[in-house]
Amino acid sequence: MAYPFYADYIPNGYKVPHPTQPGQFWRGVGHVDEAGSGPRNVFGADFEALSKMHNIEDNFWKKHLCAKDSDGDGLTNGQELGDPNCKWTKGSQPAGAAQSHPGFA
C-alpha cells in the first residue's frame, strides 16, 4: 500500500493527471496501480532508489528527482509536475499545474 504523505515531497503530488483519463488524478503516483498498491512504476522506482541515497527532507525533489526523466518521454519530472525550473520546495506553491504523469510515457 502507498503512503500518501510521499505526495508532499513532489510538486502537485495530489493532483498528478491520470495518464488515460483526462480530468482525473492518479493517487498512487509512484505505483502501477492508481490506488497506490503493488509494484512501482518507473517514477516510483526512481523515487525509492534516490530516497535511499539522499535525505528526503533536504530538498530531495530539487536536487535529485526534478531534472530526471523517469518515464523516458523527453520531459523532465519537473516539466511534467509543474516545476520546469526545479525551484519548488516542500510546502511551497508549484510554478504551474501538473501536465502529465512522470511514471508513464
Side-chain angles (χ1 to χ4, degrees):
M1 182 155 199
Y3 295 100
F5 65 84
Y6 282 131
D8 293 336
Y9 291 91
I10 60 173
N12 295 303
Y14 295 94
K15 294 183 178 180
V16 176
H18 193 292
T20 62
Q21 296 177 19
Q24 300 296 314
F25 299 119
W26 193 274
R27 294 173 300 171
V29 180
H31 293 269
V32 174
D33 181 332
E34 72 176 285
S37 60
R40 289 173 183 80
N41 58 40
V42 291
F43 178 75
D46 282 346
F47 188 103
E48 179 185 35
L50 289 167
S51 68
K52 288 180 178 179
M53 295 186 293
H54 306 284
N55 181 351
I56 197 168
E57 295 292 345
D58 184 27
N59 290 318
F60 175 74
W61 164 259
K62 189 165 36 172
K63 291 180 180 178
H64 307 291
L65 202 54
C66 182
K68 192 167 182 53
D69 177 12
S70 292
D71 59 10
D73 65 356
L75 298 172
T76 67
N77 295 330
Q79 289 172 309
E80 294 195 78
L81 294 178
D83 183 31
N85 298 315
C86 298
K87 299 210 182 275
W88 179 86
T89 56
K90 183 181 172 195
S92 69
Q93 186 70 25
Q99 302 301 308
S100 54
H101 195 300
F104 299 96

